[in-house]
Amino acid sequence: MTEKEYFDSQMSSNQNAENFNLKGLLNKYLKSWKFFVISLMIFLSLALVALQFISTSYNVSSKLLLKNETTNIDASGNNLVNNNPFSNSERVNNEIEVLTSVHLMRSVLDTLSLQCKFTAPDVFPEKELYGSELPFKIVVDTIYPLAYETTLKIKIEGDESFSITESFEDSLEDASSTSSDYGYNRYNYGYKIEKPYGVFEIVKNDKSISKDTEFVLDFRDIDEMAHDYVKKALSIYVVNKDASVINIVLKEKTPEKGEDIINSLVEIYGLKSFLDKNTLALNNVKFIDNRLNTLSKELSEVEMNVTQFKTENELASVEFDANSFAEQEIDYGRKLTESEIELKVLSAIERNLRKGGNESTLNSLSISSPNLIYLIDSYNKLLIDKKSLQRTVPENNPRMIDIRDQLEQLRGNILGSLSTSKQSLRITINSIKNRSDQFAEKKQRIPSMQRQLLEISREQGIKENLFLYLLQKREEAALMVGAKQDNFTVIDSAITDYESGSPSKKLFLLISVLMALAVPVGIIHLKDSLNTKVTDKKDVEKKTSVSVIGEIAHNKLGKSLIEKGEEKSLLAQNFRMMRMNLDFILSEKKAQTILVTSAIKGEGKTFFSSNMGVALASSSSKVVILELDKHNPELIETLGETKKEYGVTNYLNQNYNTIVLQDLLVSVKNNPNLFAIGLGSENMDGLESFHSKKMVDLMEQLKEEFDYIIIDSAPISKLADTLALSKYTDCCMYMVRANHTKFNDLEIIEDIKTNRKFKNPMVVLNDVITKY
């Protein structure tokens, strides 16, 4: 494998590890397994203790179907109530608001006497008793504010009696008495108890299953309870938006009490609705009665107006009178015509009679007077007789004379009668004309009278119809009074869902377990997030692309150098592994010169250089270690040897021309292949000295003499001396110490690689704590 391929594979593995390393994450947690166990024990213990004090609440529910009020039909098929101005959804929402009203809930709590809380004495944690858990029931009449500061202790004295002991918050003594004559301390069931704090009655509960004999009673503010139930415990919602079915859900710790509350809520809601409808029906009846009385008076006035109008206008019936007037008008016209014709006939007869020598007969047709007809008939008869005698007798015949005399007399009588008849006819004609004019005038007034009468009759008809309508509605409203018809149907009565217990014990324990795991995880991650120092290999791989050649375990024995006989120790194995990795990575080119540096002091450069030298020398390679850290020269002491008079600084000093390489070498005991060269006794300028020709000569001699050259240099972050050695080295070992080196210090080695300041940079992780 080439150097480039190795680094590329290392980069790829680093990137994959950065994405997600489940195994590493689990290892991190497994290292703190004791912390997890302790946390689990603490949280489970707290959960078990908390469950003893936390009461479980259950969902008690009921389902109602709201009826449509417009479907209330009476026997005749008419709507008894048809005054709903709202749509179905609006009405359902309105009813939900009524059911969730505080006033309605207060009525429920008052009916069930839930302002009284019963508990068993000396029981911890406290548990409220209700229903069959009590041998009695309490019926509250009146509660005063003093009751909220009063605690009663009720003791069963027998099948028919009980005693009460009172205590007050502001009193140190129990306000009690043993006088039974006045009913102060001992009472019989059903006795009405009157106290300064309230009036109530305790009755026996035949359905009780309780065997306790002592109970504690505390009074609660019913208004606050009603608000709490409505705001926190009661939930009413529409099951389906297309239907008028609502679901009533109540969260209650005591299932029996919850069922009683919901059933009472539905019952009182129905009763309230019935009373509201009953009140509305009574008000309707009262209103209708008032309107009927008013209409009766108005109708009487209208009928009197009709009668008065007909009397004043002489009308029986407009249609009948109009027809009668038309017939009379025709009759008067006919009579007028006949009278006028008769008058003309009489005038013609009179003209004939007054003409001299006219002996023609007279026409008596169209003459109505019997006397005149008789005279005309007598005249005509004599005239005929005269004409007959004129044929046989002379004019002076006595008979002719007598007939002439009679005719003359009859002519006079006829003229007189004609005058009288004509006068009578003229009077008759005038009378007929007057009557005809009167009827014509009445006939002309008929439309006006008809219109006036129609208006009066219309008003009369309206009031009559309204009167009849109100009578019908009064009967319908009267039928609604007292007729209990609920506007809802109970689909499901109150029932407790025991599966809905909240909090669920299983869920509570599960949450406790999760919290017990989450707290250590959170603390570990918080610790990691606050940590600014390298802890393991993964931290190095995350912060830099430089490969980690190996890890050095924590030196538990405190020894600075691996000695013979310790080849199988973990520390020795770590250095042997790094030696093999070094040969593997740089297989194509031998890393003869190895520079050891770090960011700061104390990261184990000298320790690594010494033991790496031992590891390389153990493979029959000849190794020399150069001590070039002028600020902290500890190499010779670490190797357990004594410093020589001369060192690198003396060799590089131009004044010491007689010093040769053998004068500098320090042989390490028990390691014939390992040598060291100390720093020396002279001060030096690293930049100047390391670039000098003598330094070049020294490095060339060392490369010829030794297989490996290890340079223990100064920290690179503070001095530039180390950079001056880069041209002599084949690879750079950058020391990183666990829990000592900061993350920011890793940027130095990344900069070294990026800018190629050293050849083949690698990281050595020192002082790693392992569990082996």
Side-chain angles (χ1 to χ4, degrees):
M1 178 182 288
T2 64
E3 177 182 348
K4 183 177 185 302
E5 290 174 345
Y6 177 79
F7 283 129
D8 289 342
S9 63
Q10 289 293 315
M11 283 292 295
S12 176
S13 62
N14 290 346
Q15 290 175 355
N16 293 332
E18 285 182 5
N19 292 333
F20 185 71
N21 191 340
L22 179 60
K23 184 177 179 181
L25 187 65
L26 291 176
N27 287 334
K28 180 190 294 186
Y29 296 148
L30 289 174
K31 290 178 183 178
S32 305
W33 65 271
K34 294 181 179 179
F35 187 19
F36 280 91
V37 171
I38 294 173
S39 176
L40 190 63
M41 293 175 62
I42 292 174
F43 274 92
L44 285 178
S45 300
L46 293 176
L48 293 174
V49 172
L51 286 174
Q52 302 299 319
F53 294 92
I54 298 176
S55 299
T56 303
S57 297
Y58 301 94
N59 286 341
V60 184
S61 62
S62 178
K63 193 176 291 184
L64 302 182
L65 170 63
L66 297 179
K67 298 177 182 177
N68 191 347
E69 291 187 349
T70 57
T71 60
N72 295 331
I73 308 299
D74 61 8
S76 63
N78 298 320
N79 289 336
L80 292 180
V81 179
N82 192 14
N83 56 355
N84 183 15
F86 305 105
S87 65
N88 184 55
S89 61
E90 290 174 334
R91 177 178 172 272
V92 171
N93 292 333
N94 291 338
E95 297 304 320
I96 290 176
E97 291 299 323
V98 174
L99 283 166
T100 55
S101 64
V102 176
H103 176 73
L104 188 63
M105 179 57 69
R106 190 189 188 286
S107 300
V108 172
L109 300 179
D110 188 40
T111 301
L112 298 175
S113 299
L114 293 182
Q115 63 268 57
C116 303
K117 177 185 177 182
F118 290 95
T119 56
D122 303 327
V123 175
F124 186 82
E126 183 182 90
K127 178 187 176 184
E128 183 178 359
L129 304 177
Y130 179 81
S132 58
E133 297 176 327
L134 295 171
F136 51 80
K137 296 179 181 178
I138 186 168
V139 180
V140 177
D141 187 335
T142 307
I143 290 293
Y144 302 113
L146 181 61
Y148 308 137
E149 302 176 0
T150 305
T151 300
L152 305 184
K153 187 174 182 181
I154 303 175
K155 184 177 181 181
I156 307 301
E157 301 290 351
D159 293 337
E160 300 296 332
S161 62
F162 58 91
S163 63
I164 294 179
T165 302
E166 301 161 322
S167 61
F168 302 90
E169 290 184 0
D170 296 335
S171 176
L172 299 177
E173 299 180 348
D174 290 346
S176 59
S177 173
T178 57
S179 174
S180 60
D181 296 335
Y182 297 95
Y184 183 78
N185 188 54
R186 187 162 184 166
Y187 307 90
N188 292 328
Y189 288 113
Y191 181 80
K192 190 172 185 180
I193 304 172
E194 297 183 4
K195 295 289 183 178
Y197 49 82
V199 180
F200 55 93
E201 179 181 343
I202 296 180
V203 296
K204 193 172 183 180
N205 183 11
D206 296 330
K207 298 181 179 180
S208 174
I209 58 174
S210 174
K211 296 181 180 179
D212 297 331
T213 57
E214 291 187 0
F215 304 90
V216 176
L217 169 60
D218 292 302
F219 294 99
R220 297 176 290 187
D221 190 340
I222 195 170
D223 292 322
E224 292 183 2
M225 290 180 62
H227 277 90
D228 289 341
Y229 268 107
V230 170
K231 301 298 181 183
K232 300 178 182 179
L234 183 64
S235 174
I236 302 178
Y237 56 89
V238 180
V239 176
N240 189 332
K241 64 178 182 179
D242 297 325
S244 56
V245 178
I246 61 175
N247 201 24
I248 305 174
V249 180
L250 180 71
K251 294 190 74 66
E252 179 56 51
K253 298 177 182 178
T254 307
E256 185 180 355
K257 183 169 74 171
E259 293 175 3
D260 289 345
I261 290 176
I262 288 187
N263 289 332
S264 298
L265 180 68
V266 173
E267 182 180 355
I268 294 176
Y269 164 69
L271 179 61
K272 182 180 181 299
S273 178
F274 163 70
L275 293 176
D276 290 343
K277 289 181 179 179
N278 211 24
T279 302
L280 178 61
L282 289 173
N283 291 335
N284 288 340
V285 170
K286 185 178 180 180
F287 172 77
I288 291 173
D289 286 340
N290 293 333
R291 287 295 299 149
L292 285 175
N293 292 333
T294 303
L295 280 175
S296 179
K297 294 177 182 179
E298 293 176 355
L299 192 57
S300 297
E301 292 177 0
V302 172
E303 290 174 348
M304 289 179 63
N305 291 337
V306 172
T307 301
Q308 184 178 358
F309 181 81
K310 288 183 176 181
T311 301
E312 291 177 354
N313 292 278
E314 299 178 353
L315 291 174
S317 173
V318 177
E319 291 78 8
F320 175 77
D321 290 343
N323 294 331
S324 177
F325 289 159
E327 292 176 359
Q328 289 182 9
E329 184 179 12
I330 294 172
D331 185 51
Y332 281 126
R334 181 179 55 77
K335 288 181 180 181
L336 180 60
T337 302
E338 291 176 352
S339 298
E340 289 178 347
I341 292 173
E342 185 178 0
L343 181 60
K344 291 179 180 180
V345 170
L346 292 178
S347 298
I349 292 174
E350 184 180 14
R351 285 195 300 271
N352 289 333
L353 288 177
R354 291 186 183 279
K355 289 181 180 180
N358 187 3
E359 293 184 355
S360 59
T361 58
L362 301 175
N363 186 5
S364 62
L365 295 174
S366 302
I367 297 175
S368 60
S369 175
N371 183 40
L372 185 57
I373 292 174
Y374 174 74
L375 291 175
I376 290 174
D377 288 342
S378 298
Y379 177 79
N380 289 335
K381 184 177 180 183
L382 286 176
L383 188 59
I384 292 171
D385 289 342
K386 178 183 175 182
K387 290 181 178 181
S388 297
L389 285 176
Q390 284 179 345
R391 295 187 187 100
T392 59
V393 295
E395 292 292 332
N396 56 359
N397 187 289
R399 180 61 182 160
M400 287 293 291
I401 295 171
D402 183 51
I403 288 175
R404 284 198 293 271
D405 293 337
Q406 288 183 8
L407 286 171
E408 191 64 29
Q409 185 178 358
L410 285 171
R411 183 182 294 111
N413 292 337
I414 290 172
L415 288 173
S417 181
L418 285 171
S419 178
T420 304
S421 296
K422 286 174 65 177
Q423 185 66 33
S424 176
L425 282 172
R426 289 190 182 95
I427 294 172
T428 301
I429 288 171
N430 290 333
S431 176
I432 291 173
K433 286 182 178 181
N434 291 333
R435 294 292 297 170
S436 178
D437 291 341
Q438 292 178 1
F439 281 110
E441 183 181 357
K442 285 186 176 182
K443 183 179 179 183
Q444 291 178 354
R445 290 171 54 198
I446 284 295
S448 176
M449 289 188 293
Q450 187 175 16
R451 182 180 61 79
Q452 295 180 24
L453 185 61
L454 182 61
E455 291 177 354
I456 299 173
S457 299
R458 184 184 297 114
E459 183 181 1
Q460 180 184 13
I462 291 173
K463 292 186 180 297
E464 286 178 351
N465 291 335
L466 183 57
F467 188 82
L468 293 175
Y469 176 78
L470 289 176
L471 281 177
Q472 179 186 358
K473 290 301 177 182
R474 186 189 184 283
E475 291 302 316
E476 293 175 0
L479 289 175
M480 293 293 293
V481 177
K484 191 174 188 306
Q485 185 178 12
D486 293 332
N487 62 343
F488 64 90
T489 299
V490 178
I491 299 177
D492 291 325
S493 298
I495 186 171
T496 303
D497 182 8
Y498 289 95
E499 296 295 328
S500 64
S502 176
S504 172
K505 292 185 177 180
K506 294 181 180 179
L507 181 61
F508 196 82
L509 292 174
L510 177 61
I511 292 174
S512 300
V513 171
L514 294 177
M515 290 184 65
L517 297 176
V519 168
V521 169
I523 293 176
I524 291 172
H525 280 278
L526 180 62
K527 182 180 178 181
D528 290 343
S529 63
L530 296 177
N531 181 34
T532 60
K533 297 180 180 180
V534 176
T535 57
D536 54 23
K537 182 179 179 181
K538 297 180 185 63
D539 291 338
V540 178
E541 292 173 344
K542 288 178 182 179
K543 297 295 181 179
T544 180
S545 60
V546 179
S547 60
V548 178
I549 191 173
E551 297 176 281
I552 302 175
H554 175 67
N555 188 6
K556 297 180 180 179
L557 299 177
K559 294 182 178 181
S560 300
L561 194 67
I562 302 173
E563 300 176 356
K564 281 190 175 182
E566 296 178 352
E567 290 81 2
K568 294 184 179 180
S569 66
L570 178 61
L571 191 63
Q573 294 297 324
N574 291 152
F575 281 97
R576 291 181 64 186
M577 182 63 68
M578 280 187 285
R579 185 190 68 187
M580 295 177 64
N581 288 341
L582 184 64
D583 292 339
F584 177 74
I585 295 171
L586 303 177
S587 59
E588 295 182 359
K589 181 180 180 181
K590 181 179 178 181
Q592 185 178 8
T593 305
I594 302 171
L595 176 71
V596 181
T597 186
S598 65
I600 58 176
K601 177 184 177 182
E603 292 179 308
K605 297 185 301 299
T606 302
F607 176 78
F608 174 80
S609 300
S610 303
N611 287 281
M612 191 65 183
V614 172
L616 292 172
S618 63
S619 61
S620 301
S621 297
K622 194 173 181 180
V623 182
V624 62
I625 305 173
L626 297 182
E627 185 181 45
L628 295 181
D629 186 358
K630 63 180 181 180
H631 292 281
N632 192 27
E634 297 179 347
L635 177 66
I636 304 302
E637 293 180 4
T638 302
L639 293 173
E641 301 298 332
T642 304
K643 291 183 179 181
K644 280 193 173 184
E645 180 182 0
Y646 301 114
V648 175
T649 58
N650 303 109
Y651 181 85
L652 296 178
N653 192 328
Q654 299 295 331
N655 298 322
Y656 292 89
N657 294 326
T658 60
I659 299 176
V660 295
L661 179 61
Q662 296 300 325
D663 297 331
L664 305 178
L665 292 175
V666 176
S667 177
V668 179
K669 60 184 177 181
N670 299 326
N671 288 282
N673 294 325
L674 180 61
F675 298 87
I677 299 177
L679 181 66
S681 59
E682 299 292 332
N683 293 329
M684 70 172 179
D685 184 352
L687 290 176
E688 293 293 334
S689 300
F690 294 159
H691 285 290
S692 65
K693 184 178 183 302
K694 280 201 168 186
M695 184 66 183
V696 175
D697 294 340
L698 177 63
M699 294 304 297
E700 288 179 352
Q701 293 181 51
L702 292 175
K703 288 181 179 180
E704 292 177 358
E705 183 75 19
F706 295 96
D707 296 318
Y708 290 99
I709 304 169
I710 300 175
I711 302 175
D712 182 14
S713 66
I716 197 171
S717 63
K718 295 182 180 180
L719 297 175
D721 297 358
T722 305
L723 293 174
L725 299 171
S726 62
K727 63 181 181 180
Y728 305 112
T729 61
D730 297 319
C731 65
C732 174
M733 298 293 177
Y734 188 85
M735 298 300 299
V736 174
R737 185 175 180 180
N739 299 313
H740 182 78
T741 304
K742 295 183 180 180
F743 289 131
N744 294 336
D745 295 336
L746 296 177
E747 296 176 359
I748 297 175
I749 187 63
E750 185 67 22
D751 177 67
I752 289 173
K753 178 184 177 182
T754 303
N755 297 309
R756 298 181 178 180
K757 295 180 179 180
F758 288 97
K759 300 175 183 177
N760 303 321
M762 303 175 199
V763 173
V764 176
L765 185 59
N766 185 25
D767 201 18
V768 178
I769 298 175
T770 62
K771 57 183 178 179
Y772 300 107

